[in-house]
Amino acid sequence: MTTTAAAKPTTPYALTTEVHDGIAVVTFDLPNESVNKLDATVAREFGEMLDQLERDESIRGAVLISGKADTFIAGADINEFLKFTSPTVAERMSREGQLMFDRLETLRVPVVAAIHGACLGGGLEIALACRYRIVTDHPKTVLALPEVQLGVIPGFGGTQRLPRLVGLRNALDMILTGKNTRAKKAWQMGLADELVHPAILRDVAVRRARELADGTRKRASRKSGGAAGALLEDNPAGRAIVFSQARKETLKKTKGHYPAPLAALRAVEYGYRFDRDRGLEEEARLFGEMAVTDVSKQLVFLFFATTSLKKDPGVDAPAPEPAPIDKIGILGAGFMGAGIASVAVQQGTVVRLKDAQHERVGKGLAAVREVVKERLTRKQITRQQFDDMLTLVGGTIDYSGFGNADLVIEAVFEDLAVKHAVLREVEQVVPDRTIFASNTSTIPITRIAQASARPENVIGMHFFSPVHKMPLLEVIVTPATSKETTVTTIAYGRKLGKTVIVVNDGPGFYANRILSPYINEAGKLLDQGAPIESIDRALANFGFPVGPITLVDEVGIDVAGKAGAIMAEAFGERMAPSASLQKVVEAGRTGRKGKKGFYQYDEKGKKGKVDESIYDLLPTGRQRSPMDDEEIVRRTVLAMVNEAARTLEDGIIRTPRDGDIGAVFGIGFPPFRGGPFRYMDSRGIESIVRDLEELNDRFPPRFQPAQILLDMARKKERFYPEGRIV
Amino acid sequence: MATYANGRRVALVAGVRTPFAKAGTLLKSMSAIELGKIAVSELLQRTNLDGTEVQALTFGTVVPSVVAPNIAREVSLIPQLPKGVEAFTVGRACASANQAITDAADQIQLGHYDVVIAGGAESLSNVPILHSRGMSEVLVAASRAKSLAQRLGIFAKLRPKDFVPIAPAIAEPTTGETMGQSAEKMAKLNAIPREEQDQFALRSHRLAAAGLADGRLAAEIAPVYVPPKYQTTATTDNGVRTDSTYEALAGLKPVFDRQYGSVTAGNASPLTDGAAAMLLMSEERATALGYEPIGYIRSYAYAALDPGEQLLQAPVLAAPVALKRAGLTLKDMDLVEMHEAFAAQVLSNLKGFESKTWAERAGFSRPVGEVDRAKLNVMGGSISIGHPFGATGARITTTLCNELRRRGGQFGLMTVCAAGGMGFAMVVERR
């Protein structure tokens, strides 16, 4: 092979071009960033690069490759979203991008995308505009169009190019959900032309670019779906069926709260009904429309909030370095203990899982296996990784193996005396440095720490159930908790993949504290004779994953009753439980786990209709009077957000950001509403206070507005002042 | 006075084993590799040792897996250990774990390593069943065939007898004699009456049952939660009979010689599944890491004789050499642990210890001496506890050290007989 003199890099910023023997290799390596992102500067440089490829006659083909270890291109820089002050601005940006990618697609020379690592959003849309795509056979290589997760739609031609490349149903599956597609799957569906080992990616890409330039290789159409797929997708009538099904499916999932997936669907459909060019125009128009929706703004906020939380040390400066956690001890192999073990082993932590009897330990191990097995079944891990994860957890009924635990998490029975006993016992066997974390959901950590000889090592780690699915971790610090303990616990929580908020100690901490008045209010609606299904439907429509009564059945009526009593004890009349819940607790119903609750459950625990017989236990009996959704939502949601304001006032949470993240990720507060504080801001504090006062007149004193709200209303303040992102 | 090679004394820091379960029972669903992984994981857990301290791992097994013959490497690949922990598998029949332990000790004494895990595992519920020679030849030839027709032609050569599988037998390849036949022969040659054998077996069960009941033996056992459902937990050796009586044992029929025989299923060790592992360190490293070892290796010796003679009598040749290397005599021993393949073999070995003829064969003028029965196998042995071939040596070493500590003794002798006419002896010291 002859080598001509390498051309000088055009601009010294993110893209460098080297030309060997007529093939330009363009390397994207955004300086000072861990991943490649697309922004206005990169776009400008990208344009210049296309100019060069167009002009330079010595170049016959090109390869686009990333200089980052695990990312091809992660998509658009989310800061660009903040520039979308009007639909027109966003639409214009989309059009500009589309035109550039059109240029890439029809460039004089063929461009091959050499993809290793995450290829997301705008990154995938670039790849789609390339003449040929090669992906590496590597777990880090994933392809996705996650735009809908930020409330927008692909805006650089993704809605038009993807369905034409991989078929309508494959494309809709990606575009409407934003889900990841692994390299092998991408190759199987024809999204990638080749699947190669990372070590040969560059060489193969260069060879293919040359062959495409020489005309010795044509892209083979590898659209998957078979004959049946073609019958369905290759004619207007078949496509109409696909579109109608997709719309139905999307509405079912979004309950009408998220407009972006429907807009994306419309853009795809438009391109088929007319042509690609008009599809692109529609895509840009809809992108502009979506970019300024309230939903998108809230989802973008959540993204920024999560990102800023990841960088938050959680303690006042100077923050010490977190200590490594290589081995943890877990006390209690029940649902929570096993759940924590199941996420710990996935991060390579050695786990010692203790319970009182072998039978309970065995059940815990079975639960760990079930979680890990699901990952194997979904091919997210290999058989070897599966075996390794199970080998990392060792069961025991004594304290052997705790002698080198860096962290002990207790998940024993919610009883202070039991917690004190295990704390005293375990402190005898662990080194002085070992952190003791309680997974209690109700007992103040300060009280647990009273039994400790080293209260500076005691902290709360409140995981949510089921641990492997719920993204939130509340880390609860007491005045005695050391900074070292706090930063180490936070770092480990993040390693487990959790979004961590640091809260101060107090009954119910944050999440359960704001949940309590909400559940109580739902109970009081029952006391007044509201039908169970009306309450659940109203709040599901508001955007909660399930209504409050279903939630009580899920977490356990006994558990909810116990937590309610603790909260009532701590906060008095404001948190007094409803008569209805108390009656049902007394009757011994436990909800789904006991297959007897507010709803009916079959043998497998599958939920059925409301169990009408439960009304016999309630104050107004089977006599139910309809209640309108607005009243239900107003009372329950205001009870919750008012309490959230109090937690900020009391210093339980540090910022509204933590409160919003905690509510969205911990208890399913509707993400498209941004969280309790964002919700109050968007409704206006004055309006919230007005509603609370009106309710408080009717139901004193539980709707007494939080002082902070009264003050803010007077001063016309917001939790997030205009112009502040998080 | 013993000298330690290179001036480095080897510490036996700790030992852990799985329960020993009769083949085809509690642990039948688990391979030897899985059992070995559990023993090693649990050893690391119980010693609170960070896996990065470990430098090598050696394991013994007698019936290796055909697909993963280097069991030590498979076991060493548990995630708790760095991938850089090198590992090798050893084979010395029933003394395989002893071989692993002495190889580990040698490496430590040489100064190559400071921290090594040694042990063994066996699953006699999962022995490889082989194809017949005829079948093997056909399969190999077929894999080389170039066309379908050629392949079919090769398969056509198969005869019905080729389909009969071969299970591995516990027989000597040279003599064709099974282990049981050898024990039977030894009972006759050494004039060991049936009654003595049954009494010895009874003693084994009673002592093991006592050790399990009072927790001494139980402390060495890590429970195995049996996957995938983990509904059963194996916590104890299931071959030990608390209700065994002499009459019941005496009522059993001889297996290997129905007319004149004395060896029965009751006075022989059963086929067993299980694994055992020990943590070995240089004394220096053990001290630096703050461990209080359960014992130290003082000396050891291997010996062999003609397998066609008395297959399981070689411990008699090994013991005096180990004692000599230790600079000690039998009288100095506070405990003696002798592997119980068969009661007839133990009693033959003990007779051999007292015999001038056997002493001379070993190159000594005086016999080893008479073993005080009160010091012998004080918590039972392989007849009651079970005998997973590859693991037994580590079990015995662990028990000997632990019991020596409990009794405040200083020296202990252990012997293990092995197929091929081999024998092993080791002297441990507590301080």
Side-chain angles (χ1 to χ4, degrees):
Chain A
M1 191 168 79
T2 57
T3 303
T4 59
K8 271 192 184 160
T10 47
T11 3
Y13 186 59
L15 297 179
T16 46
T17 306
E18 279 179 69
V19 185
H20 289 289
D21 203 15
I23 303 299
V25 175
V26 181
T27 305
F28 186 6
D29 194 351
L30 197 61
N32 309 318
E33 293 281 351
S34 58
V35 299
N36 287 328
K37 296 180 285 193
L38 304 173
D39 60 16
T41 319
V42 170
R44 201 163 42 246
E45 203 183 339
F46 201 78
E48 289 165 19
M49 184 267 291
L50 292 182
D51 291 344
Q52 187 204 351
L53 296 182
E54 197 73 73
R55 267 197 325 262
D56 188 339
E57 294 281 330
S58 71
I59 296 173
R60 298 188 301 129
V63 169
L64 179 61
I65 197 164
S66 162
K68 302 295 182 197
D70 294 323
T71 322
F72 176 65
I73 301 170
D77 185 335
I78 195 156
N79 283 300
E80 296 291 305
F81 278 66
L82 303 177
K83 297 179 186 166
F84 300 149
T85 48
S86 75
T88 327
V89 174
E91 183 179 347
R92 196 185 316 129
M93 191 220 67
S94 168
R95 281 306 281 169
E96 283 165 8
Q98 287 178 352
L99 291 173
M100 174 134 54
F101 289 11
D102 280 353
R103 254 189 95 194
L104 169 63
E105 188 173 40
T106 56
L107 204 65
R108 179 184 61 83
V109 302
V111 181
V112 174
I115 303 164
H116 172 72
C119 174
L120 311 176
L124 178 53
E125 290 176 296
I126 287 187
L128 286 169
C130 289
R131 209 74 58 86
Y132 197 86
R133 284 155 298 280
I134 306 173
V135 293
T136 60
D137 190 5
H138 192 277
K140 294 270 188 198
T141 301
V142 289
L143 300 89
L145 290 174
E147 285 82 353
V148 291
Q149 291 171 355
L150 290 171
V152 295
I153 67 170
F156 300 142
T159 66
Q160 306 304 308
R161 287 195 182 90
L162 187 62
R164 286 168 178 80
L165 186 64
V166 302
L168 195 49
R169 280 168 306 162
N170 281 334
L172 290 179
D173 194 30
M174 289 181 74
I175 294 170
L176 303 186
T177 63
K179 74 177 186 187
N180 282 345
T181 300
R182 285 192 299 274
K184 191 166 181 195
K185 178 86 188 296
W187 174 68
Q188 284 164 342
M189 67 162 74
L191 176 49
D193 299 285
E194 278 188 80
L195 181 69
V196 303
H197 190 281
I200 59 166
L201 175 65
R202 187 188 165 108
D203 288 353
V204 173
V206 167
R207 197 185 314 154
R208 294 296 175 250
R210 180 169 295 116
E211 288 165 358
L212 287 164
D214 292 347
T216 52
R217 174 173 287 264
K218 289 271 184 292
R219 261 205 75 241
S221 175
R222 298 180 48 251
K223 202 189 285 183
S224 59
L231 276 178
L232 197 58
E233 295 185 3
D234 287 356
N235 65 84
R239 284 197 295 269
I241 296 172
V242 175
F243 284 123
S244 132
Q245 276 174 345
R247 184 165 289 111
K248 223 186 292 169
E249 190 67 25
T250 305
L251 276 170
K252 208 169 99 191
K253 273 190 199 149
T254 62
K255 297 191 184 114
H257 293 309
Y258 298 88
L262 292 176
L265 188 61
R266 187 183 151 83
V268 175
E269 202 172 2
Y270 208 83
Y272 275 100
R273 195 180 328 147
F274 300 101
D275 57 31
R276 206 185 80 161
D277 284 348
R278 290 187 63 182
L280 285 171
E281 279 170 29
E282 185 67 359
E283 176 187 277
R285 189 186 70 75
L286 287 164
F287 179 85
E289 205 176 279
M290 290 301 115
V292 296
T293 54
D294 210 36
V295 171
S296 175
K297 296 240 179 292
Q298 301 294 17
L299 295 178
V300 168
F301 154 75
L302 288 174
F303 182 90
F304 276 113
T306 317
T307 312
S308 83
L309 257 180
K310 277 181 194 148
K311 293 174 188 155
D312 187 338
V315 295
D316 297 336
E321 275 296 302
I325 301 286
D326 298 318
K327 181 174 181 180
I328 66 171
I330 297 175
L331 302 172
F335 199 61
M336 291 307 289
I340 296 165
S342 75
V343 293
V345 293
Q346 293 186 36
Q347 298 308 319
T349 311
V350 182
V351 175
R352 194 63 161 164
L353 184 62
K354 180 187 178 296
D355 209 310
Q357 294 117 26
H358 286 308
E359 196 195 354
R360 296 175 61 92
V361 176
K363 274 190 183 154
L365 293 173
V368 173
R369 188 179 198 276
E370 200 176 314
V371 171
V372 180
K373 183 69 194 279
E374 194 186 319
R375 299 209 61 202
L376 177 69
T377 310
R378 288 166 179 243
K379 296 188 179 155
Q380 292 165 338
I381 53 169
T382 62
R383 183 84 212 177
Q384 182 61 50
Q385 288 172 308
F386 170 77
D387 286 344
D388 279 0
M389 287 172 189
L390 293 181
T391 304
L392 282 168
V393 50
T396 182
I397 55 166
D398 56 33
Y399 283 103
S400 69
F402 277 74
N404 62 337
D406 301 304
L407 164 70
V408 172
I409 302 173
E410 72 78 15
V412 298
F413 192 63
E414 287 278 274
D415 180 291
L416 187 62
V418 178
K419 306 237 184 227
H420 277 176
V422 298
L423 171 54
R424 288 199 188 95
E425 283 167 15
V426 82
E427 276 190 352
Q428 301 299 310
V429 292
V430 297
D432 287 355
R433 64 180 163 82
T434 303
I435 294 172
F436 181 89
S438 173
N439 178 55
T440 179
S441 53
T442 46
I443 304 174
I445 305 303
T446 312
R447 290 178 68 185
I448 293 173
Q450 279 163 359
S452 172
R454 302 186 282 271
E456 67 277 13
N457 290 0
V458 180
I459 199 165
M461 279 181 105
H462 182 208
F463 289 90
F464 292 76
S465 177
V467 179
H468 67 285
K469 286 200 177 132
M470 297 298 283
L472 187 72
L473 171 66
E474 265 185 298
V475 165
I476 303 112
V477 297
T478 77
T481 308
S482 72
K483 276 191 188 183
E484 286 75 11
T485 299
T486 308
V487 295
T488 300
T489 307
I490 294 170
Y492 188 63
R494 286 184 188 143
K495 188 178 171 187
L496 297 183
K498 300 301 171 198
T499 300
V500 182
I501 60 168
V502 180
V503 306
N504 279 308
D505 196 19
F509 317 126
Y510 173 70
N512 280 342
R513 171 144 164 212
I514 69 166
L515 199 56
S516 194
Y518 165 83
I519 300 281
N520 281 349
E521 200 55 35
K524 287 184 173 152
L525 290 164
L526 282 181
D527 292 357
Q528 265 181 273
I532 291 170
E533 60 270 37
S534 302
I535 299 172
D536 275 350
R537 195 188 49 233
L539 287 152
N541 285 340
F542 180 76
F544 280 100
V546 294
I549 312 293
T550 301
L551 183 65
V552 169
D553 261 6
E554 293 288 325
V555 302
I557 296 171
D558 52 334
V559 174
K562 204 166 174 188
I566 290 173
M567 299 303 283
E569 191 197 325
F571 296 103
E573 208 183 332
R574 194 173 90 227
M575 295 254 194
S578 63
S580 293
L581 186 63
Q582 280 177 304
K583 295 282 182 202
V584 178
V585 171
E586 281 163 23
R589 293 198 185 207
T590 56
R592 186 217 279 273
K593 65 185 171 189
K595 300 190 179 70
K596 203 166 171 62
F598 289 95
Y599 289 86
Q600 296 171 339
Y601 295 91
D602 68 11
E603 273 312 298
K604 287 176 186 161
K606 196 174 149 55
K607 188 178 134 190
K609 289 195 166 108
V610 166
D611 183 351
E612 297 284 333
S613 71
I614 202 165
Y615 287 134
D616 296 337
L617 301 169
L618 308 190
T620 67
R622 297 204 181 202
Q623 187 71 38
R624 292 287 124 183
S625 40
M627 192 174 290
D628 68 59
D629 283 13
E630 205 192 316
E631 168 81 356
I632 292 168
V633 167
R634 214 155 67 103
R635 281 171 58 179
T636 51
V637 173
L638 284 181
M640 176 185 275
V641 299
N642 190 30
E643 195 62 33
R646 286 179 202 274
T647 63
L648 184 64
E649 188 180 311
D650 295 352
I652 293 291
I653 53 169
R654 298 175 304 156
T655 61
R657 174 202 68 185
D658 290 3
D660 283 335
I661 289 287
V664 170
F665 291 154
I667 59 181
F669 196 93
F672 63 91
R673 300 188 192 275
F677 295 94
R678 298 278 297 188
Y679 174 72
M680 286 189 274
D681 269 0
S682 48
R683 284 215 29 209
I685 308 296
E686 283 171 285
S687 152
I688 297 280
V689 168
R690 243 189 337 267
D691 277 10
L692 282 169
E693 281 172 339
E694 188 263 324
L695 285 170
N696 202 41
D697 288 343
R698 288 165 59 200
F699 310 104
R702 62 179 194 266
F703 284 100
Q704 172 64 42
Q707 187 59 44
I708 189 175
L709 291 177
L710 293 170
D711 294 347
M712 288 175 72
R714 204 178 54 243
K715 294 189 236 163
K716 301 199 184 319
E717 283 178 351
R718 300 164 56 89
F719 289 107
Y720 297 85
E722 288 292 347
R724 207 178 88 194
I725 310 158
V726 290
Chain B
M1 199 47 221
T3 53
Y4 305 103
N6 245 348
R8 283 165 66 87
R9 188 159 75 141
V10 177
L12 298 160
V13 174
V16 169
R17 66 179 174 90
T18 69
F20 285 180
K22 288 203 267 188
T25 67
L26 283 176
L27 303 178
K28 67 177 175 185
S29 66
M30 305 184 72
S31 68
I33 292 170
E34 288 172 301
L35 292 170
K37 284 182 175 183
I38 288 175
V40 172
S41 308
E42 196 59 25
L43 179 69
L44 290 168
Q45 286 272 13
R46 291 182 171 214
T47 54
N48 300 312
L49 183 72
D50 185 344
T52 55
E53 296 284 345
V54 179
Q55 296 163 297
L57 183 146
T58 171
F59 242 55
T61 201
V62 174
V63 188
S65 158
V66 178
V67 287
N70 187 357
I71 185 175
R73 185 54 180 151
E74 305 314 318
V75 169
S76 76
L77 287 172
I78 60 171
Q80 289 92 325
L81 294 175
K83 301 294 175 228
V85 171
E86 62 98 347
F88 61 100
T89 300
V90 297
R92 194 190 282 273
C94 302
S96 290
N98 303 102
Q99 186 67 51
I101 289 167
T102 59
D103 279 6
D106 291 352
Q107 290 295 309
I108 290 170
Q109 286 205 317
L110 280 166
H112 292 172
Y113 295 130
D114 283 296
V115 182
V116 183
I117 289 172
E122 207 76 50
S123 172
L124 291 176
S125 300
N126 292 287
V127 292
I129 306 296
L130 306 179
H131 280 303
S132 67
R133 180 138 194 121
M135 177 66 96
S136 302
E137 279 169 5
V138 164
L139 289 175
V140 171
S143 73
R144 289 188 187 142
K146 291 190 177 66
S147 69
L148 183 64
Q150 213 178 349
R151 194 164 299 150
L152 289 173
I154 292 163
F155 279 121
K157 289 180 193 155
L158 280 173
R159 295 293 167 262
K161 69 171 165 52
D162 294 331
F163 288 92
V164 180
I166 301 170
I170 311 169
E172 283 299 307
T174 47
T175 62
E177 199 175 74
T178 68
M179 196 71 75
Q181 287 166 341
S182 301
E184 191 63 77
K185 188 167 75 181
M186 286 172 71
K188 286 168 185 151
L189 283 168
N190 302 309
I192 313 291
R194 164 79 186 261
E195 187 192 340
E196 274 183 39
Q197 293 178 45
D198 288 344
Q199 288 291 3
F200 189 83
L202 182 65
R203 168 192 195 275
S204 182
H205 282 282
R206 287 195 175 151
L207 291 172
L212 286 171
D214 66 20
R216 282 175 300 155
L217 207 48
E220 294 168 7
I221 302 172
V224 172
Y225 302 94
V226 184
K229 297 194 166 171
Y230 304 94
Q231 279 165 342
T232 42
T233 310
T235 56
T236 189
D237 307 322
N238 66 3
V240 179
R241 304 190 65 123
T242 47
D243 55 352
S244 199
T245 62
Y246 174 75
E247 288 69 30
L249 286 166
L252 295 170
K253 290 218 158 40
V255 180
F256 305 100
D257 177 350
R258 290 187 176 273
Q259 200 173 0
Y260 301 110
S262 59
V263 175
T264 70
N267 59 38
S269 58
L271 295 179
T272 309
D273 302 331
M278 294 197 80
L279 178 61
L280 282 78
M281 291 189 191
S282 62
E283 183 174 12
E284 203 180 355
R285 181 62 60 88
T287 308
L289 291 176
Y291 285 105
E292 196 185 320
I294 58 173
Y296 298 88
I297 296 176
R298 174 116 173 163
S299 70
Y300 70 83
Y302 291 95
L305 47 65
D306 179 357
E309 185 197 356
Q310 293 201 36
L311 186 71
L312 307 174
Q313 191 70 342
V316 177
L317 302 179
V321 180
L323 285 169
K324 186 184 167 201
R325 287 175 184 165
L328 299 166
T329 69
L330 183 63
K331 286 197 181 60
D332 299 312
M333 299 297 119
D334 298 295
L335 284 173
V336 175
E337 277 290 329
M338 189 173 270
H339 164 50
E340 302 169 352
F342 299 89
Q345 155 263 323
V346 175
L347 297 168
S348 296
N349 290 176
L350 291 171
K351 269 199 165 175
F353 276 4
E354 296 166 24
S355 146
K356 197 165 161 49
T357 319
W358 279 102
E360 281 163 4
R361 275 187 65 171
F364 294 84
S365 53
R366 272 188 296 186
V368 171
E370 186 183 348
V371 175
D372 178 354
R373 298 301 166 98
K375 295 178 178 174
L376 177 71
N377 294 5
V378 293
M379 284 198 286
S382 300
I383 290 174
S384 51
I385 292 167
H387 176 34
F389 304 145
T392 289
R395 169 188 71 80
I396 297 178
T397 312
T398 302
T399 297
L400 176 60
C401 291
N402 281 334
E403 194 57 21
L404 209 51
R405 263 161 72 86
R406 261 189 297 266
R407 292 176 181 232
Q410 170 62 1
F411 297 112
L413 170 72
M414 66 177 288
T415 66
V416 179
C417 59
M422 295 185 294
F424 168 73
M426 186 162 91
V427 177
V428 298
E429 57 194 357
R430 186 166 70 95
R431 284 180 299 267

